[in-house]
Amino acid sequence: MTGNRTFTMIKPDAVENGHIGAILEKITAAGFKIVAMKYTQLSKRDAREFYAVHKERPFFGELVDFMTRGPIVAAILEKDNAVDDFRALIGATNPAEAAEGTIRRLYATSIGENAVHGSDSDENAGIEGAFHFSGREVF
Ligand code: CMP
């Protein structure tokens, strides 16, 4: 059982493809309450910092380029067991492996351009939420 908040981003591919509304509808229909949300664009510096944990990975440069190429929607979501339930709702990182009906299965195009982010732990949900919503008591 995880805590009651998680952090998400609707990534540039899903924004470009016009899926913001459909993805937010799936999120709220699944019982998540949106407690903070913004439409924004990451700088290279922001993306390098946000994804610092992946900096040694071969796809890091590609990931930074992708996440900065257009606007995103960042949000903090509330629900019992938020981290685990949200990861179930979005599906596997690779959309080809994501379960039927999940957000990535429906809207992602590849392992890199996978439509949405979901925090992988309560600790990271707090760090990631604070990264985007500093100055607010969000966690
Ligand atoms: P996410 O899990 O939200 O955060 C890390 C991101 O790195 C992941 O989504 C993908 O967008 C990206 N990523 C993970 N694995 C690969 C890969 N093999 N090739 C390219 N990008 C990847």
Side-chain angles (χ1 to χ4, degrees), residues 7-10 15 20 24 34-42 46 71-76 128-134 136:
F7 170 78
T8 188
M9 290 183 285
I10 301 176
V15 174
I20 294 175
L24 291 177
I34 297 167
V35 296
M37 182 164 71
K38 70 177 172 190
Y39 184 78
T40 186
Q41 185 158 355
L42 297 176
D46 291 335
I72 62 159
V73 175
I76 293 173
E128 292 168 2
F131 182 89
H132 284 271
F133 295 94
S134 56
R136 289 195 43 159

